[in-house]
């Protein structure tokens, strides 16, 4: 089994757990505060990890060209916007449906990757992604059926926008990691993660201090719950960045749809939300697409 596969599955699990923890944070924090928890509390951990690699293993910090900083900034801003939209979506739909709406990300990631980085996409890989996307569409349908799920619906548009921004951030992070001139997979991923999370944390804190200082204090006061969001988010991001270094962002994000399976499980176990038969069938299609991608698409 290629290394990027287990790394991606682990990253998807962490991402789903982080989203569940962020949904719980909405009980005490605003959308902006819950969004910021991911970045503010992840940044010190990411810097500590990079320091441990440099001093513990004796690694040198990779030489970072200008495009590394540009890709990191684009990815960081896109991820903040995508996360804000996702958490806002939680207040409009149940956990499983809200996250499922963002999963058009896989197709958008493939297109962005081809345009920005020239990443290849085989016919089998594209077919596997589309099978998974059909599954995601089934999961995302509201109880009223197709007629109620028109793309003009506000929640659908927010989900698609969030997925697009997540896709842009994935491609940008791959571009950043590949632009580094030295270092193994873990060091490149940790270097990218440290720069991105520090950039994001500074932006979030500055925004909260400017617009809502009470929420900034609330975020600081919720450090116990937020620290878990930061830790899980940091581990998930490290996994994504490492996988992006090894494989195209489209393939990584497509395999990452295994998160949908974790997502439905979290919806049932943590939030007592009952999936419909259509959603269960959608999960099966997602799983089928993932298997196809791993066997024939990469």
């Amino acid at each position: 089994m290629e290394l990027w596969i287990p790394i991606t599955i682990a990253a998807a699990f962490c991402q789903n757990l982080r989203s569940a923890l962020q949904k719980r944070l909405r009980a005490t924090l605003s959308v902006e505060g819950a969004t910021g928890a991911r970045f503010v509390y992840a940044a010190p951990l990411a810097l500590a990890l990079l320091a441990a690699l440099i001093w513990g293993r004796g690694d040198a910090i990779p030489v970072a060209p200008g495009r590394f900083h540009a890709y990191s900034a684009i990815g960081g801003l896109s991820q903040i916007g995508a996360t804000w939209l996702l958490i806002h979506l939680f207040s409009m739909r149940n956990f499983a449906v809200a996250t499922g709406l963002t999963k058009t990300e896989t197709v958008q990631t493939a297109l962005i990757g081809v345009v920005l980085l020239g990443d290849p996409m085989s016919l089998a890989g594209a077919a596997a992604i589309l099978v998974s996307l059909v599954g995601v569409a089934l999961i995302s349908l509201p109880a009223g059926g197709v007629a109620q799920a028109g793309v003009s619906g506000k929640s659908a548009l927010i989900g698609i926008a969030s997925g697009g921004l997540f896709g842009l951030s994935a491609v940008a992070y791959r571009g950043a990691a590949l632009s580094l001139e030295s270092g193994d997979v873990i060091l490149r991923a940790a270097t990218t993660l440290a720069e991105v999370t520090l950039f994001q944390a500074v932006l979030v804190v500055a925004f909260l201090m400017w617009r809502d200082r009470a929420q900034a204090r609330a975020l600081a006061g919720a450090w116990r719950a937020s620290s878990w969001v930061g830790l899980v988010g940091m581990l998930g991001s490290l996994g994504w960045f490492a996988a992006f270094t090894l494989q195209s962002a489209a393939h990584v994000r497509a395999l990452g749809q295994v998160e949908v399976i974790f997502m439905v499980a979290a919806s049932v176990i943590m939030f007592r939300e009952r999936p419909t038969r259509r959603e269960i069938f959608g999960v099966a299609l997602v799983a089928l697409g993932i298997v196809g991608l791993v066997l024939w698409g990469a």
Side-chain angles (χ1 to χ4, degrees):
M1 180 184 293
E2 295 182 57
L3 183 58
W4 71 275
I5 294 174
I7 291 176
T8 299
I9 292 173
F13 177 81
C14 288
Q15 176 170 298
N16 183 69
L17 179 57
R18 187 215 69 230
S19 293
L21 292 171
Q22 281 182 299
K23 180 174 182 179
R24 286 191 164 180
L25 273 180
R26 282 289 287 116
T28 56
L29 297 175
S30 67
V31 172
E32 291 79 11
T35 301
R38 170 184 183 175
F39 308 115
V40 171
Y41 287 90
L45 298 174
L47 291 171
L49 173 63
L50 180 60
L53 290 174
I54 294 171
W55 291 325
R57 300 197 316 182
D59 293 335
I61 299 179
V63 176
R67 65 181 181 278
F68 169 79
H69 303 294
Y71 277 131
S72 295
I74 292 170
L77 287 169
S78 300
Q79 190 177 32
I80 289 174
T83 303
W84 187 91
L85 289 173
L86 176 61
I87 294 176
H88 179 61
L89 200 58
F90 287 156
S91 64
M92 303 172 65
R93 307 295 299 274
N94 75 38
F95 181 74
V97 175
T99 310
L101 279 167
T102 69
K103 294 307 177 183
T104 54
E105 167 196 359
T106 55
V107 173
Q108 297 184 73
T109 299
L111 295 175
I112 295 170
V114 169
V115 173
L116 289 186
L117 302 180
D119 284 336
M121 175 56 62
S122 68
L123 182 60
I129 289 174
L130 289 176
V131 169
S132 291
L133 185 61
V134 171
V136 168
L138 290 175
I139 294 169
S140 303
L141 286 175
V146 177
Q148 193 177 327
V151 294
S152 61
K154 185 177 180 180
S155 62
L157 292 176
I158 292 174
I160 292 170
S162 177
L165 289 174
F166 274 129
L168 178 58
S169 69
V171 174
Y173 292 153
R174 173 168 165 78
L178 292 178
S179 73
L180 294 173
E181 298 177 5
S182 62
D184 62 12
V185 170
I186 297 301
L187 183 59
R188 287 172 181 242
T191 302
T192 307
L193 178 63
E195 164 134 343
V196 168
T197 53
L198 180 60
F199 170 73
Q200 290 170 323
V202 169
L203 282 183
V204 167
V205 170
F207 176 81
L208 289 177
M209 292 299 293
W210 171 51
R211 292 293 301 271
D212 193 346
R213 294 196 176 190
Q215 193 59 209
R217 290 191 293 271
L219 178 58
W223 65 269
R224 288 182 178 85
S226 298
S227 293
W228 285 107
V229 171
L231 174 61
V232 175
M234 187 274 289
L235 292 174
S237 294
L238 179 65
W240 289 125
F241 290 2
F244 292 150
T245 307
L246 296 168
Q247 181 57 267
S248 74
H251 284 82
V252 170
R253 282 307 199 191
L255 177 58
Q257 287 190 121
V258 69
E259 177 195 2
V260 172
I261 299 173
F262 302 143
M263 174 190 69
V264 173
S267 179
V268 173
I269 295 170
M270 298 181 67
F271 304 114
R272 309 299 181 187
E273 296 167 348
R274 186 180 298 275
T276 65
R277 283 181 292 181
R278 181 176 60 237
E279 290 170 351
I280 292 172
F281 182 61
V283 168
L285 285 180
V286 170
L288 179 63
I290 288 170
V291 171
L293 180 73
V294 171
L295 293 180
W296 305 294

